């Protein structure tokens, strides 16, 4: 039996510990957090995050071998293995502002581990961290005067929101990096043994510490780069008459490339992609690799361009002004099936439309509360409307910013009747039936496709 602790019971720490507890009934698993309200929520029937399948797992293990607590010192003292998944946001001050990871919570946690420990332990980096953070952590942890030794292991998470439990239960791979010393290898093996309870051994990859830390940043950079690549091609499609869905299909059927993450869009969002790429950029600059840094930075720049060009396309199409016009944004979440709006392109579109002095109404099935919090500085200029039909009423345009499947199921003929004419639809996720919308009377602009408009100067559908 081992005592497993996780410091940071957030989006990553909570689901990770729940799944470990489910599959390792002989271990005692505790998740602690400085946020008492969050811990109270983990102990209640209203968990602090929604992920499909999570509640069932938490309810079946909680009180048996899964516990949530704010007593950080006590649980550190009792633990054999400590996962750390506190947040590592982008720095907003000082050296590396806007790019480097802010490691203050990590360092504070490391010092707290040393202070509260009276036995040697394994410390697992679960948060995404810059390469070689483990080295700094080892120094802080092992410069204690108690004669204790801490092995630092890297075990990055690859959970996507909306599928976190599934990703954890059936991972494409688990990555565990450690020192090549006997003690380091023993620590790696201890973490391998946890995952081997439910993950086939061939999917558990062990590497050196630095490869593991870097692989996490590289994986997110590659995923984001695919989205920026297809969005770059989408811009060219709009100028040349090519259709980005057809191009993505043709490109993605090459088995060397593969079909996933090639959906052209108004841009990628979420808490990880931008943060991790900028972190990678900062690392490259730190090592004097300025060309490498510029290469990866362009993935983020392309994403910003994509959001800006979407709004600029709207303004141009709507006779060069949206000032005073009601515009309904369909979707606030950064992707479908989540209430998370962090770095959501929908909110970027909202802000840009406000700058153009449009009257913005935003609708979303789950993310309006979070959108209101993120848009707090401009919230009095925005209408938050849960009903998409009400949002579109009297609007000049609809902009689809999140790929919620329910947006494709709406009665657009009825919506068209309630809108100001000529009515526009800008489909930033390519989820609607564009020909059907055109036939209803809409002027339709998708991403990476020729527009379908009823104006004489443009090419109508044929
Ligand atoms: C975060 C990072 O965004 C991600 O890069 C990293 O891989 C893991 O941590 P996430 O779990 O989504 O991911 O963050 P969040 O939901 O904010 O959870 C972090 C938790 O740590 C919060 O609940 C916060 O209260 C807690 N925390 C933070 C502590 O318990 N102690 C601290 O000192 C700081
Ligand atoms: C991502 C990684 O997938 C995950 O492995 C990592 O641990 C955390 O970051 P997540 O941010 O939850 O997960 O979302 P993801 O599904 O990767 O989508 C990111 C963004 O890219 C979303 O805004 C999504 O709408 C967008 N996207 C994705 C596209 O625009 N086109 C695509 O083809 C795929």
């Amino acid at each position: 039996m081992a005592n497993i602790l996780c410091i940071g019971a957030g989006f990553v720490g909570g689901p990770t510990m729940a799944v470990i507890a489910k599959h390792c009934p002989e271990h005692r698993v505790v998740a602690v957090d400085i946020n008492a309200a969050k811990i109270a929520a983990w102990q209640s029937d209203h968990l602090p995050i929604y992920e499909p399948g999570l509640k069932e797992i938490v309810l079946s293990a909680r009180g048996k071998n899964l516990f949530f607590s704010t007593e950080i010192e006590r649980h550190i003292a009792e633990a054999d293995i400590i996962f750390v998944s506190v947040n590592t946001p982008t720095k907003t001050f000082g050296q590396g502002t806007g790019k480097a990871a802010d490691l203050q919570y990590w360092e504070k946690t490391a010092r707290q581990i040393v202070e509260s420990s009276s036995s040697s332990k394994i410390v697992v980096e679960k948060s995404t961290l810059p390469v070689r953070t483990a080295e700094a952590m080892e120094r802080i942890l092992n410069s204690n005067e108690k004669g204790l030794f801490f092995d630092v292991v890297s075990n990055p998470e690859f959970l996507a929101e909306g599928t976190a439990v599934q990703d954890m239960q059936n991972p494409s791979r688990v990555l565990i990096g450690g020192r090549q010393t006997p003690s380091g290898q023993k620590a790696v093996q201890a973490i391998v043994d946890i995952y081997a309870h439910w993950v086939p051994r061939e999917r558990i990859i062990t590497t050196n510490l630095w490869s593991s830390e870097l692989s996490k940043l590289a994986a997110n950079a590659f995923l984001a780069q695919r989205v920026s690549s297809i969005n770059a091609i989408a811009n060219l499609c709009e100028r040349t008459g090519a259709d980005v869905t057809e191009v993505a299909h043709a490109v993605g059927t090459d088995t060397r490339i593969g079909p996933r993450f090639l959906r052209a869009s108004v841009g990628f969002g979420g808490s990880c992609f931008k943060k991790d790429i900028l972190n990678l950029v900062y690392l490259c600059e730190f090592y004097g690799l300025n060309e490498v840094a510029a290469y990866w930075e362009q993935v983020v720049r392309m994403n910003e361009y994509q959001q800006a060009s979407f709004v600029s396309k709207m303004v141009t199409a709507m006779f060069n002004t949206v000032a005073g016009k009601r515009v309904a944004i369909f979707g606030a979440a950064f992707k479908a099936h989540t209430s998370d709006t962090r770095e959501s392109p929908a909110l970027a579109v909202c802000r840009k439309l406000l700058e153009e002095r449009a009257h913005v109404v935003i609708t979303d099935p789950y993310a309006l509360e979070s959108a209101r919090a993120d848009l707090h500085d401009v919230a009095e200029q925005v209408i938050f409307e849960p009903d998409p039909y009400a949002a579109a009423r009297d609007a000049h345009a609809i902009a689809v910013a999140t790929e919620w499947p329910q947006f494709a199921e709406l009665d657009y003929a009825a919506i068209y009747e309630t809108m100001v004419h000529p009515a526009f639809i800008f489909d930033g996720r390519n989820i609607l039936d564009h020909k059907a919308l055109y036939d209803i009377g809409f002027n339709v602009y998708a991403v990476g496709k020729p527009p379908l408009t009823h104006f004489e100067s443009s090419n109508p559908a044929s």
Side-chain angles (χ1 to χ4, degrees):
M1 202 276 281
N3 279 315
I4 298 173
L5 174 67
C6 181
I7 302 179
F11 171 76
V12 174
T16 304
M17 289 307 114
V19 173
I20 290 180
K22 174 187 168 188
H23 291 282
C24 306
E26 78 278 24
H27 295 326
R28 188 164 176 274
V29 181
V30 181
V32 293
D33 203 291
I34 46 169
N35 183 334
K38 198 173 270 190
I39 290 298
W42 279 114
Q43 290 166 335
S44 76
D45 277 349
H46 298 283
L47 303 186
I49 57 170
Y50 171 74
E51 278 293 327
L54 179 62
K55 196 167 177 184
E56 291 80 344
I57 294 180
V58 170
L59 291 186
S60 70
R62 202 172 60 192
K64 293 185 187 129
N65 70 327
L66 176 65
F67 304 90
F68 296 93
S69 171
T70 49
E71 289 180 77
I72 302 177
E73 286 85 2
R74 174 161 82 84
H75 290 291
I76 289 175
E78 290 172 3
D80 305 301
I81 299 172
I82 302 179
F83 287 83
V84 183
S85 75
V86 300
N87 33 344
T88 49
T90 304
K91 269 186 94 172
T92 53
F93 57 90
Q95 202 170 307
T97 297
K99 280 186 187 161
D102 183 348
L103 297 176
Q104 59 172 316
Y105 305 119
W106 237 101
E107 176 161 345
K108 199 178 85 218
T109 302
R111 291 183 190 280
Q112 200 171 25
I113 291 173
V114 175
E115 271 165 36
S116 304
S117 292
S118 49
S119 60
S120 297
K121 302 173 194 303
I122 299 171
V123 175
V124 187
E125 295 179 339
K126 199 70 186 156
S127 310
T128 305
L129 295 161
V131 186
R132 298 199 81 89
T133 302
E135 193 169 42
M137 291 308 143
E138 284 173 340
R139 287 188 183 148
I140 293 170
L141 291 166
N142 290 325
S143 61
N144 66 80
E145 271 130 43
K146 301 180 187 175
L148 304 179
F149 184 76
F150 296 88
D151 279 297
V152 177
V153 173
S154 161
N155 170 221
E157 49 85 14
F158 295 103
L159 311 178
E161 293 189 27
T163 55
V165 171
Q166 191 190 317
D167 294 343
M168 182 71 187
Q169 302 235 66
N170 187 20
S172 54
R173 79 295 202 199
V174 170
L175 185 55
I176 303 170
R179 288 283 192 186
Q180 306 302 303
T181 59
S183 159
Q185 288 304 296
K186 214 170 131 212
V188 166
Q189 190 56 44
I191 309 305
V192 169
D193 290 344
I194 293 175
Y195 285 98
H197 280 75
W198 75 95
V199 180
R201 186 62 188 82
E202 65 277 9
R203 286 200 222 154
I204 304 179
I205 304 170
T206 56
T207 65
N208 78 31
L209 260 178
W210 325 126
S211 306
S212 175
E213 289 181 333
L214 182 56
S215 298
K216 166 68 195 198
L217 294 182
N220 273 349
F222 273 54
L223 288 170
Q225 183 218 39
R226 282 176 72 95
V227 178
S228 275
S229 293
I230 199 66
N231 282 342
I233 296 297
N235 281 275
L236 200 52
C237 288
E238 287 172 22
R239 303 292 187 280
T240 57
D243 179 326
V244 77
T245 307
E246 293 177 351
V247 175
H249 180 67
V251 171
T253 41
D254 183 330
T255 53
R256 293 170 301 178
I257 297 171
R260 301 184 64 191
F261 263 71
L262 289 181
R263 276 179 289 117
S265 66
V266 58
F268 61 74
S271 67
C272 287
F273 281 0
K274 184 175 169 191
K275 167 172 81 79
D276 290 352
I277 294 175
L278 292 180
N279 193 338
L280 187 64
V281 168
Y282 183 73
L283 267 174
C284 295
E285 286 170 352
F286 175 81
Y287 288 107
L289 299 168
N290 293 332
E291 297 302 320
V292 182
Y295 173 76
W296 286 111
E297 191 160 13
Q298 193 56 28
V299 173
V300 175
R301 298 288 160 255
M302 180 63 223
N303 198 51
E304 287 164 356
Y305 171 77
Q306 191 66 4
Q307 297 171 2
S309 74
F310 183 77
V311 175
S312 144
K313 186 164 69 181
M314 292 179 73
V315 175
T316 307
M318 295 167 73
F319 320 111
N320 292 314
T321 177
V322 292
K325 294 179 181 169
R326 182 173 165 112
V327 177
I329 302 179
F330 278 20
F334 82 95
K335 66 176 186 182
H337 310 293
T338 174
S339 59
D340 193 342
T341 54
R342 286 180 287 180
E343 299 292 338
S344 175
L347 303 193
V349 166
C350 174
R351 285 182 185 280
K352 287 181 202 300
L353 287 171
L354 289 177
E355 280 167 25
E356 294 289 342
R357 305 205 175 160
H359 292 167
V360 179
V361 190
I362 190 158
T363 184
D364 191 287
Y366 288 101
L368 281 190
E369 216 175 297
S370 170
R372 193 191 294 271
D374 284 359
L375 293 169
H376 63 92
D377 53 316
V378 289
E380 74 287 355
Q381 298 173 55
V382 179
I383 301 169
F384 298 89
E385 170 55 68
D387 175 11
Y389 292 97
R393 191 169 304 129
D394 298 325
H396 289 248
I398 293 170
V400 178
T402 309
E403 66 274 33
W404 286 107
Q406 43 271 61
F407 292 151
E409 311 295 320
L410 300 173
D411 179 350
Y412 283 95
I415 287 176
Y416 179 78
E417 291 309 321
T418 68
M419 287 177 67
V420 176
H421 298 164
F424 294 80
I425 281 201
F426 300 88
D427 185 356
R429 296 289 187 168
N430 289 350
I431 54 165
L432 305 181
D433 181 340
H434 301 140
K435 179 68 170 63
L437 292 172
Y438 172 78
D439 289 341
I440 289 169
F442 282 104
N443 297 296
V444 187
Y445 295 78
V447 177
K449 293 167 190 276
L452 300 174
T453 78
H454 297 278
F455 307 124
E456 275 171 18
S457 56
S458 307
N459 290 330
S462 56

